Amino acid sequence: MKVIFLSGLFLSCNIRSQTTGNRTVTLTLPVVTLMDVEPAGSISLNYTAPAEAGNAVTVPAANTTKWINYTSAITAAGATRRITASINQVIPGTDIRIQAAAASGSGGGSLGNPSAQIVLTTAAQTIISGIGGAFTGNGANNGHRLTISLTNNTYANLAVRTNTPIVITYTITE
C-alpha cells in the first residue's frame, strides 16, 4: 500500500504602502500672435471692355482664392484680438470690397468672427474680431476665406489704368 502525502501551505499577505511626493513643474507659454494670407502671391482683378457700344464695362468676378491663417495665444483670460485690412490707395470710381467668411478647416480654440463686407480704404477696418486662444490650421481651406471684389461707385470717375498695384495690408492686434 502506498501512501501519498500532500501538503501545501498557502500564505496570503496584503502589504500596503503609500508614499507621496511633490515636484515643481515650470510651465512657459509665450504670447503668440501670428497671421498670414495663403496661398502666397498676388491676384488680378481686371475689368472687361464691352463688345457693344452703349454697354458698361464688366466688373471682374469676385476672387475667393485667399485665406487668412492665424495662431493666437493671448496674454490674459478673456482678452481678444482682431484683424484689420486697409489699402495703400483708393481708385477713383471703384470700390474694393472684402468679406471674411466664418472660420473653417482644421483649427480650434476661440476662432474669430467675421464682420460684414466692407469697402476698403486707406484707414484700417476690422474684418475679423473676437480672436482668443486659437489656431486656424495652415494653408488654403483653413482659416477665414476672403472674398475680394470690385464695384463701380461713380462711373463718371472711372479712368484707364494698367496694372495698377493695390496693396491690401492685414494686421492682427489686441
Side-chain angles (χ1 to χ4, degrees):
M1 176 183 256
K2 283 189 175 179
V3 177
I4 299 177
F5 215 178
L6 294 175
S7 159
L9 177 64
F10 295 99
L11 180 61
S12 175
C13 290
N14 283 332
I15 300 175
R16 293 182 186 219
S17 176
Q18 191 171 22
T19 305
T20 62
N22 294 327
R23 295 294 179 261
T24 300
V25 176
T26 302
L27 173 69
T28 302
L29 175 60
V31 174
V32 178
T33 310
L34 298 171
M35 181 208 56
D36 67 0
V37 178
E38 297 282 347
S42 61
I43 61 171
S44 293
L45 296 173
N46 299 311
Y47 284 94
T48 304
E52 183 67 37
N55 290 336
V57 295
T58 303
V59 176
N63 184 290
T64 58
T65 63
K66 299 295 181 182
W67 293 77
I68 287 187
N69 298 161
Y70 53 82
T71 300
S72 172
I74 55 178
T75 57
T80 61
R81 293 193 166 98
R82 64 190 177 108
I83 296 176
T84 61
S86 64
I87 53 176
N88 64 326
Q89 63 179 315
V90 175
I91 305 298
T94 301
D95 285 338
I96 301 170
R97 298 177 180 267
I98 192 165
Q99 170 72 60
S104 63
S106 63
S110 296
L111 297 165
N113 303 306
S115 66
Q117 182 184 65
I118 61 167
V119 175
L120 289 168
T121 66
T122 55
Q125 299 174 72
T126 300
I127 61 170
I128 302 169
S129 61
I131 300 168
F135 69 101
T136 59
N138 186 38
N141 301 313
N142 288 298
H144 299 265
R145 175 176 250 162
L146 298 174
T147 300
I148 302 165
S149 59
L150 298 180
T151 58
N152 298 327
N153 63 25
T154 307
Y155 206 90
N157 292 340
L158 290 178
V160 173
R161 295 190 175 267
T162 304
N163 296 322
T164 303
I166 307 297
V167 178
I168 303 174
T169 301
Y170 302 93
T171 306
I172 186 169
T173 60
E174 286 190 26

